[in-house]
Amino acid sequence: MNLMKYIESKKNDEIKQLAKLSATKNIKKTGTYLIEGFHLVREADANDQRIVKLYVTENNENDRLAKKYHDIVTGVSDDVAQALSETKTPQGIFAVVKVQENDDLTEMKGQWVILDDVQDPGNVGTIVRTADAAGYTGVITSLNSADFYQPKVQRSMQGSQFHMPIYRMDLQKAISIAKKSGLKVYGSEVNKEAMPYNKLEKTDDFALVMGNEAHGLGADVLSETDQNIFIPILGKAESLNVAVAAGVLMYGLKSI
Amino acid sequence: MNLMKYIESKKNDEIKQLAKLSATKNIKKTGTYLIEGFHLVREADANDQRIVKLYVTENNENDRLAKKYHDIVTGVSDDVAQALSETKTPQGIFAVVKVQENDDLTEMKGQWVILDDVQDPGNVGTIVRTADAAGYTGVITSLNSADFYQPKVQRSMQGSQFHMPIYRMDLQKAISIAKKSGLKVYGSEVNKEAMPYNKLEKTDDFALVMGNEAHGLGADVLSETDQNIFIPILGKAESLNVAVAAGVLMYGLKSI
């Protein structure tokens, strides 16, 4: 197949702009972000995400997706692919995807995970992936959490952002919507009134709020929770990694 | 306090050798590794680890540990601390610690986690930390797993290596010891005979074997397990991160 357009040099202006799309401020400015690799690009396509541009190396020119998106596909050299990639051996397929504009949350049903300033990109991404695996309805992060669309978060999410709604919003507002919608709000925190997660009576509709890696939940959030829960520490570790704790709680609170 | 010895320049030979201690081959060669920060150094001290050398910046010269280890402490400049550190703002305390020589495993009791070629340092470290939190007896990794003593693993372990035995050994041998000791061996894998982890009858003595991030458990290991178990995927994600899966299983299999 002859691609309409081909870029040879990583110093090309369009490629330089693309490379900058890993910065949160540029994701915000353009309303788009860059994904790479067959798994993510296929997931984006299969889940009706808006693919704005597609870039493929020569060996992928005949891929089904290159054909489907023939009007917006650009061929790139291996050199360009290496410059755009987060990995050492790029698969040679990249897409610019429109950011999901989820600003319409007015009611919540089912099971939600809410993150209060979780800052490590790997933790945020892993929690979204786990929420997807555990069949949760959606994930909300505070405005100070790691941004969903930065490359490290995406690598950990593994495409789970295409399977369920993810929101980034004011946390007080999110908790207020959860409560108005009749969800129980569980904070993960050790305090006098907290109970071990496995002693909690299971419900179908709830929001689980996880705190910052170092400081836990903010006082403003804690005061809004219906019940605080904790994972018993049975050995000598001081705490659990927040993504592991979220996983233990997400599965532990489900009726399975 | 006047330290007997002080190193100003990061080009000093001793400092150059220290900086190389992050490489696995040098850890093996010297039988020692480098830890940094108050939390880890205090944990090493409190848990009877053999501290061979201690390095402190000027503001830490009067710390309790600098006094306790006065015969092996060296003062270093902020410049040196920065050169040795894995973080942007070092706390200014480092220790060279003797690697635990755990090669004496002949019997196993209680609950063990065994890792079959888990390669991401963060995953190995996080699993050790979780095993500690969940009150497991010990952790064993295969010879091809990420080495316990490299800096990224240590950062994720958060000192849990001081709380319980960790072994790196041939996996067939480990599983053979587990079986001879009467432990049930659970493999985490989806196959025809596997069952959901939450349906498993709980026992007090078992070994949970987790597989490689991409390839799961090796066929040689799978053929040796007594029962394979899996975590039900309730949404659209293809799989879970191995450290999260290990956490869900470790807590899920405990009688709490």
Side-chain angles (χ1 to χ4, degrees):
Chain A
M1 173 170 116
N2 273 323
L3 298 176
M4 295 179 65
K5 200 175 150 192
Y6 181 82
I7 301 178
E8 175 75 37
S9 164
K10 63 182 179 187
K11 290 179 179 160
N12 173 287
D13 275 346
E14 184 172 336
I15 300 304
K16 282 201 262 180
Q17 292 303 318
L18 271 184
K20 286 185 193 158
L21 254 191
S22 59
T24 303
K25 66 170 184 189
N26 293 323
I27 295 169
K28 284 215 171 79
K29 201 164 71 180
T30 62
T32 61
Y33 65 110
L34 186 68
I35 59 176
E36 80 166 283
F38 282 103
H39 177 71
L40 279 187
V41 178
R42 284 175 187 155
E43 283 270 305
D45 173 63
N47 290 282
D48 299 323
Q49 300 297 304
R50 176 95 171 78
I51 293 179
V52 183
K53 295 277 281 176
L54 186 69
Y55 298 87
V56 295
T57 49
E58 200 178 345
N59 50 330
N60 295 326
E61 280 183 10
N62 291 311
D63 186 79
R64 183 183 64 78
L65 289 175
K67 289 175 182 163
K68 174 172 174 181
Y69 291 100
H70 64 91
D71 55 328
I72 53 167
V73 72
T74 300
V76 293
S77 65
D78 290 340
D79 200 32
V80 166
Q82 194 60 68
L84 291 179
S85 180
E86 294 278 322
T87 69
K88 275 186 198 162
T89 50
Q91 295 179 345
I93 184 163
F94 302 83
V96 176
V97 182
K98 221 169 164 318
V99 165
Q100 291 176 40
E101 283 180 12
N102 294 333
D103 52 8
D104 54 345
L105 188 67
T106 52
E107 209 192 344
M108 290 159 78
K109 277 183 188 173
Q111 295 120 31
W112 289 75
V113 179
I114 298 180
L115 306 183
D116 181 12
D117 297 0
V118 173
Q119 305 208 299
D120 178 82
N123 285 340
V124 170
T126 302
I127 289 171
V128 172
R129 178 181 174 191
T130 310
D132 179 17
Y136 276 57
T137 313
V139 177
I140 298 170
T141 70
S142 64
L143 299 170
N144 287 324
S145 296
D147 192 88
F148 288 124
Y149 297 102
Q150 52 174 284
K152 278 188 188 173
V153 178
Q154 280 184 58
R155 202 155 53 226
S156 305
M157 284 200 292
Q158 301 230 341
S160 285
Q161 75 269 36
F162 305 137
H163 300 156
M164 61 182 181
I166 52 177
Y167 292 86
R168 184 178 170 90
M169 62 189 287
D170 177 79
L171 226 55
Q172 297 288 346
K173 193 177 161 199
I175 291 175
S176 148
I177 295 168
K179 290 179 128 179
K180 269 187 221 153
S181 308
L183 270 61
K184 285 268 181 196
V185 178
Y186 302 130
S188 61
E189 183 81 6
V190 180
N191 66 17
K192 262 189 292 186
E193 290 81 30
M195 62 155 58
Y197 76 96
N198 53 320
K199 305 298 180 204
L200 197 67
E201 198 183 331
K202 284 176 180 164
T203 53
D204 286 336
D205 299 273
F206 62 85
L208 167 65
V209 195
M210 304 296 302
N212 171 272
E213 287 89 344
H215 310 295
L217 286 181
D220 49 343
V221 172
L222 272 179
S223 68
E224 296 291 327
T225 54
D226 293 311
Q227 172 70 51
N228 293 319
I229 56 177
F230 67 91
I231 299 173
I233 300 288
L234 309 164
K236 293 190 222 161
E238 286 181 9
S239 62
L240 286 161
N241 164 278
V242 67
V244 171
V248 171
L249 292 176
M250 279 190 249
Y251 270 94
L253 298 181
K254 290 284 283 199
S255 307
I256 53 169
Chain B
M1 174 171 111
N2 272 322
L3 297 176
M4 295 179 65
K5 201 176 148 189
Y6 181 82
I7 301 178
E8 175 76 36
S9 164
K10 62 182 179 187
K11 290 179 181 161
N12 173 287
D13 276 345
E14 185 172 334
I15 300 304
K16 280 200 263 180
Q17 291 303 318
L18 271 183
K20 287 184 192 158
L21 255 190
S22 59
T24 303
K25 66 170 183 188
N26 293 323
I27 295 168
K28 284 216 171 80
K29 201 165 69 179
T30 62
T32 61
Y33 65 109
L34 187 69
I35 59 175
E36 80 166 284
F38 282 104
H39 177 72
L40 279 187
V41 178
R42 284 176 186 154
E43 283 270 307
D45 174 62
N47 290 282
D48 298 324
Q49 300 296 305
R50 175 93 173 80
I51 294 179
V52 182
K53 295 278 281 175
L54 186 69
Y55 298 87
V56 295
T57 49
E58 200 178 345
N59 50 330
N60 295 326
E61 280 182 10
N62 292 310
D63 186 78
R64 184 183 62 79
L65 289 175
K67 289 175 182 164
K68 174 171 175 182
Y69 292 99
H70 63 93
D71 55 328
I72 52 166
V73 72
T74 301
V76 294
S77 65
D78 290 340
D79 201 31
V80 167
Q82 193 61 68
L84 292 180
S85 180
E86 295 278 321
T87 68
K88 275 186 199 162
T89 49
Q91 296 179 344
I93 184 162
F94 302 84
V96 176
V97 182
K98 222 171 162 317
V99 165
Q100 290 176 41
E101 284 180 11
N102 294 332
D103 52 7
D104 54 344
L105 189 67
T106 51
E107 208 192 342
M108 291 160 76
K109 277 183 190 171
Q111 295 120 30
W112 289 76
V113 179
I114 299 180
L115 306 183
D116 181 12
D117 297 0
V118 173
Q119 304 208 300
D120 179 80
N123 284 339
V124 169
T126 302
I127 290 171
V128 172
R129 179 181 174 191
T130 309
D132 178 18
Y136 276 57
T137 313
V139 176
I140 299 170
T141 69
S142 63
L143 299 169
N144 288 323
S145 296
D147 192 87
F148 288 124
Y149 297 102
Q150 51 174 284
K152 278 188 188 171
V153 178
Q154 281 184 58
R155 204 157 50 229
S156 306
M157 284 200 292
Q158 302 229 340
S160 286
Q161 75 269 34
F162 305 137
H163 300 156
M164 62 183 180
I166 52 177
Y167 292 86
R168 184 178 170 88
M169 62 189 287
D170 178 77
L171 227 55
Q172 297 288 345
K173 193 179 160 197
I175 292 175
S176 149
I177 296 169
K179 291 180 129 180
K180 270 188 221 152
S181 308
L183 271 62
K184 285 268 181 197
V185 178
Y186 302 131
S188 61
E189 183 81 7
V190 180
N191 65 17
K192 262 188 292 186
E193 290 80 29
M195 62 156 57
Y197 75 98
N198 54 321
K199 306 297 181 205
L200 196 68
E201 198 183 330
K202 283 177 181 164
T203 53
D204 286 336
D205 299 272
F206 61 85
L208 167 65
V209 195
M210 304 295 303
N212 170 271
E213 288 87 345
H215 310 294
L217 286 181
D220 49 343
V221 172
L222 271 179
S223 67
E224 296 290 327
T225 54
D226 293 311
Q227 172 70 51
N228 292 320
I229 55 177
F230 67 91
I231 299 172
I233 299 289
L234 309 164
K236 292 190 224 162
E238 287 181 9
S239 62
L240 287 161
N241 164 278
V242 66
V244 171
V248 170
L249 292 176
M250 279 190 250
Y251 270 94
L253 298 181
K254 289 285 281 200
S255 308
I256 53 169

